[in-house]
């Protein structure tokens, strides 16, 4: 029971109604803040009610009922100072029976607050940004009840939204309270998809619509909430029931947990309490979402974090259901949208109109995250791992995504925009130059042809074949389809994808790499055992051989898709020849199965290996007559060669492929493959960088597979290179005792007119 004797819902409803009256009455901001604290103190039977707002780094007393009026605008608490500072810092409510004994209590004589013991402070938060603290105090030493804490939090939330919506029109004139971030900021992250873009922020998880925080009719509001809840539950159930064959056991578990959470009485109860207390349904969900986020930020336990993440996802679904079940991406999109989110789930990015999306900025994400895979396929820049990004932007802000420097610029000033306009123009001029090279042969000045191939993983990528003039797909990463879908792709879905890819490629060859999961590539719907060293653990072909059903299914799909045409398959992370034999036997078994079904099968079949584990480099002779080709995955090969995690920025730049040991090693592999008569290619990212590609060509490599963005620059380099001359220059360098040859090789390129 609240001190006023009314139940919580009734108490906050009364406060919310009065709050609305005060706002509607108009008048100066200060007068309305004064009226507000008087009203809250009376409604909550508190001796004191104060509003502190954040001005720069200090919390300043803006209005009070109960403390000395002369303290208003004089009492200022530095960041983290006093109990108010503590609430601001933690963004959590603080409820104390005897505040003066708390170690963080800071006594300010000008306020006359000595007689007060009970203290309840709640943050005034919006979009995860604390811009003030609302406090009530009482003389008697007592803890405030849960309903009182809740009532004050609700008022603080509504207050935050009203201030942000301009409800206190002249407030920002009154003080430089940063309700909406307005200053330019530069935030560092990590680059996951190359490029530069300037555009307008679109928030993936928009705030609850402003202006409708308080409900006119709680009964109607509860009905809206009820309908939206039913809607999302039915949706989830339909996903589970829809197609039993579609879900693997594991993904079904995930969805069922989700559906179970959607039935969670305490979640639903919180939402109902919200609308009964006078909030609109959206505001009630927003409140729940804020609570889940706040808890998630404090939660260490990964299981709990995951649950809270699921709950937040449900909150978002519910918000969308309330907004007339708008689909993702159905919100109005500016032509130069830059999507900002904490993280994006499987397939979510694909739901946005690709034509309007210029870039992507995330708080989370990783090199192998779904978002990064799709961003690279769409050719849009992405910067991820940007701390507190979402709380520092508002929809409509200008933003620069700079994946060259792994940073974003928020609300950039004119000078910065001008500099970026120039850099973007330069990039587009280069892109035009590369486009002109599209139909020119990739041949060195001394007449050596080099086959330039594309790395791909989604059908979206295959369009780059035509755009770049690449000779084929040298590496099709089949796991991407698995990583961007919500559930395990069925046989038909796999077959369809491979068929589409082959059709789009026309007469250009495509090399499909079988599933390369594990390590840093995890599926949301497959619970993997936690391993101490995932990169050295149960991954790639190792999973395929231990769980042959998954691999056989995939081979079946590939064989069906390649009916009547050539099929090239290769296996990732083959470490021993026996592994290759076992995998090749599975292909033959599936070929026999297809024939038994009456299919004619692929016209040609070539089975190759990826050389990623150094051990295989010393067994190449044993692959003679067995494998049809070898492809070096330098990303993994170098990580194992140098014992340096490819995704760990601390060690990522420590070792260089352009070093004597690595280049000697690659040369040995080339010699061994030539001796065994095995065609050899390189398909790691290094092949797409002009200086590395120059060196590889000089070492005798003539098939390079790379991301689409590498084809133009590498072709330009090749057409300016005398390969034999470069090979002669490289020879003595390989005898040197220097580690990285980067400087020497760059100098060679400059001196010999090689275009890098
Ligand atoms: C590699 O390891 O170089 C490679 C091409 O495979 P992935 O990057 O997909 O591991
Ligand atoms: Mg690899």
């Amino acid at each position: 029971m609240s001190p006023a004797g009314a139940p919580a819902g009734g108490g906050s409803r009364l406060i919310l109604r009065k709050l609305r009256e005060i706002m509607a009455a108009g008048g100066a901001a200060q007068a309305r803040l004064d009226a507000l604290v008087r009203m809250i103190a009376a409604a909550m039977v508190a001796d004191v009610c104060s509003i502190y707002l954040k001005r720069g780094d200090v919390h300043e007393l803006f209005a009070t009922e109960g403390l000395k009026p002369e303290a208003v605008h004089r009492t200022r608490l530095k960041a983290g100072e006093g109990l108010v500072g503590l609430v601001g810092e933690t963004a959590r409510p603080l409820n104390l029976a005897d505040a003066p004994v708390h170690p963080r209590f800071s006594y300010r004589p000008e306020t006359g607050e000595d007689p007060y013991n009970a203290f309840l402070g709640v943050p005034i938060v919006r979009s995860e940004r604390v811009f003030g603290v609302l406090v009530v105090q009482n003389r008697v030493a007592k803890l405030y009840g849960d309903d009182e804490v809740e009532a004050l939090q609700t008022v603080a939330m509504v207050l935050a939204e009203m201030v942000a919506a301009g409800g206190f029109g002249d407030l920002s004139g009154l003080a430089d309270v940063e309700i909406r971030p307005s200053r330019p900021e530069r935030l560092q992250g990590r680059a996951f998809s190359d490029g530069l873009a300037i555009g307008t922020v679109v928030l993936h998880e928009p705030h609850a619509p402003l202006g409708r925080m308080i409900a006119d009719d709680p009964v109607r509001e509860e009905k809206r909430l009820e309908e939206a809840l039913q809607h999302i539950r039915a949706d989830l159930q339909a996903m589970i029931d829809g197609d039993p064959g579609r879900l693997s056991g594991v993904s079904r578990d995930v969805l069922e947990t989700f559906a179970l959470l959607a039935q969670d009485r305490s979640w639903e109860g919180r939402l109902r309490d919200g609308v009964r207390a006078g909030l609109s349904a959206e505001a009630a969900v927003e409140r729940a979402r804020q609570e889940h986020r706040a808890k998630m930020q404090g939660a260490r336990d990964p299981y709990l974090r995951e649950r809270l993440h699921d709950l937040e996802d449900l909150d978002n679904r519910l918000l969308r259901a309330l907004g007339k079940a708008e689909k993702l991406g159905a919100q109005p999109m500016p032509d130069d949208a830059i999507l900002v989110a904490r993280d994006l789930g499987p397939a979510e990015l694909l739901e946005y109109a690709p034509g309007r999306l210029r870039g992507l900025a995330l708080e989370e994400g990783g090199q192998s995250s779904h978002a990064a895979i799709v961003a690279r396929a769409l050719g849009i820049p992405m910067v991820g791992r940007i701390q507190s990004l979402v709380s520092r932007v508002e929809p409509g802000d200008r933003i620069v995504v700079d994946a060259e420097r792994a940073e974003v610029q928020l609300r950039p000033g004119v000078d910065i925009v001008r500099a970026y306009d120039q850099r973007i123009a330069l990039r587009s001029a280069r892109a035009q130059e590369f486009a002109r090279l599209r139909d020119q042969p990739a041949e060195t000045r001394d007449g050596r042809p080099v086959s330039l191939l594309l790395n791909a993983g989604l059908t979206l990528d295959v369009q780059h074949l035509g755009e770049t003039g690449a000779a084929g797909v040298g590496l099709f990463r089949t796991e991407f389809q698995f990583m961007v879908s919500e559930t395990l792709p069925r046989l038909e879905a796999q077959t369809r994808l491979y068929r589409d890819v082959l059709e789009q490629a026309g007469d250009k060859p495509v090399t499909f790499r079988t599933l390369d999961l594990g390590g840093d590539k995890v599926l949301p719907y497959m619970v993997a055992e936690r391993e101490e060293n995932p990169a050295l653990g149960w991954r790639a072909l190792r999973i395929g051989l231990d769980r042959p059903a998954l691999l056989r299914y995939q081979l079946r799909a590939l064989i069906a898709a390649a009916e009547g045409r050539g099929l090239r398959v290769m296996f990732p992370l083959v470490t021993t020849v026996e592994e290759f034999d076992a995998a090749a036997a599975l292909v033959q078994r599936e070929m026999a199965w297809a024939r038994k079904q009456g299919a004619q099968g692929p016209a040609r079949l070539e089975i190759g290996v990826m050389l990623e584990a150094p051990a295989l480099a010393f067994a190449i002779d044993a692959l003679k007559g067995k494998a049809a080709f070898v492809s070096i995955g330098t990303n993994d090969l170098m990580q194992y060669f140098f014992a340096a995690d490819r995704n760990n920025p601390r060690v990522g730049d420590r070792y260089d492929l352009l070093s004597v040991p690595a280049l000697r090693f690659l040369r040995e592999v080339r010699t061994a493959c030539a001796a065994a008569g095995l065609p050899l290619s390189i398909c790691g990212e290094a092949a797409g960088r002009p200086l590395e590609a120059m060196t590889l060509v000089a070492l005798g490599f003539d098939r390079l597979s790379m991301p689409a963005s590498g084809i133009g620059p590498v072709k330009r380099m090749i057409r300016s290179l005398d390969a034999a001359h470069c090979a002669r220059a490289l020879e003595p360098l390989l005898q040197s005792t220097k580690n990285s040859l980067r400087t020497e090789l760059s100098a060679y390129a400059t001196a010999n007119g090689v275009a890098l």
Side-chain angles (χ1 to χ4, degrees), residues 121-421:
V122 298
I124 304 176
V125 198
R126 184 166 181 278
S127 324
E128 294 171 56
R129 199 163 43 242
V130 178
F131 62 87
V133 177
L134 179 61
V135 177
V136 288
Q137 290 171 279
N138 279 78
R139 277 198 181 79
V140 290
K142 60 149 193 174
L143 270 183
Y144 292 89
D146 288 349
D147 46 1
E148 290 165 291
V149 178
E150 181 149 342
L152 200 64
Q153 273 186 292
T154 304
V155 173
M157 184 183 85
V158 174
L159 184 63
E161 296 293 336
M162 284 180 160
V163 173
F168 289 87
D170 53 352
L171 187 65
S172 50
L174 191 73
D176 47 338
V177 177
E178 194 161 78
I179 292 147
R180 287 180 66 103
S182 57
R183 281 187 286 265
E185 272 188 276
R186 189 173 67 84
L187 304 177
Q188 195 66 38
R190 285 178 59 188
F192 295 127
S193 173
D194 189 36
L196 284 181
I198 303 187
T200 308
V201 168
V202 169
L203 279 183
H204 172 57
E205 292 155 355
H207 308 304
L210 286 172
R212 272 210 76 246
M213 298 301 291
I214 305 176
D216 306 318
D217 176 356
V219 178
R220 212 190 102 234
E221 218 54 29
E222 199 168 343
K223 197 157 165 276
R224 287 184 64 229
L225 178 70
E226 180 59 39
E227 281 166 8
L229 277 165
Q230 274 173 11
H231 181 92
I232 63 161
R233 283 179 188 141
D235 253 15
L236 284 168
Q237 202 52 48
M239 277 171 79
I240 295 170
D241 297 342
D243 190 357
R246 194 173 116 230
L247 306 169
S248 70
V250 185
S251 61
R252 173 177 285 276
D253 278 358
V254 171
L255 272 178
E256 280 173 352
T257 315
F258 225 58
L260 220 62
L261 275 176
Q263 304 285 353
D264 186 310
R265 291 284 154 215
S266 65
W267 178 61
E268 189 183 328
R270 287 289 296 141
L271 298 170
R272 283 190 198 283
D273 281 353
V275 287
R276 285 180 192 157
L279 293 176
S280 66
E282 285 87 349
V285 182
E286 180 65 40
R287 187 178 70 169
R289 187 166 72 163
Q290 283 183 11
E291 285 167 6
H292 293 141
R293 277 190 188 167
K295 278 193 195 145
M296 193 156 69
Q297 269 158 8
R300 288 263 166 84
D301 175 16
Y303 176 80
L304 185 62
R305 281 180 66 88
E306 208 169 295
R307 282 292 144 271
L308 288 163
H309 203 285
D310 288 350
L311 274 171
E312 201 196 319
D313 199 289
L314 282 179
D315 299 330
N316 289 327
R317 277 168 197 263
L318 202 51
L319 271 181
R320 285 199 288 274
L322 283 165
K324 292 285 166 290
E326 264 180 52
K327 263 178 75 76
L328 278 180
Q331 47 176 317
M333 285 266 283
D335 283 340
D336 60 351
I338 295 205
L339 194 60
V340 172
R342 277 188 319 112
D343 203 0
L344 284 176
E348 283 177 333
L349 183 53
L350 286 169
E351 292 184 40
Y352 284 89
R356 294 186 171 181
L357 212 52
R358 292 246 185 112
L360 185 59
L362 298 186
E363 286 190 6
E364 304 195 0
Q367 194 63 31
S368 310
S369 59
H370 323 111
I373 291 169
V374 177
R376 288 195 291 267
L378 291 171
I380 59 171
M382 165 179 169
V383 176
R385 305 270 176 94
I386 310 167
Q387 268 185 16
S388 335
L389 170 67
V390 174
S391 66
R392 288 153 99 160
V393 290
E394 288 283 331
D397 278 355
R398 299 295 290 166
I399 182 173
V400 176
V401 176
D402 181 348
E404 288 178 357
R405 295 182 183 156
E407 64 188 29
V408 293
Q409 304 265 359
L410 308 179
R411 302 168 290 277
V414 275
D415 287 353
I416 294 201
V417 170
R418 200 172 302 128
Y420 272 100
D421 280 341

Side-chain angles (χ1 to χ4, degrees), residues 530-552:
R530 204 173 291 191
E531 295 181 300
E532 199 126 315
N533 288 307
L536 303 180
W538 197 55
R539 52 165 298 202
L541 184 61
R542 298 165 186 182
I543 300 182
L545 293 176
D546 290 356
R547 295 267 185 284
L550 197 63
L551 180 54
R552 275 184 34 218

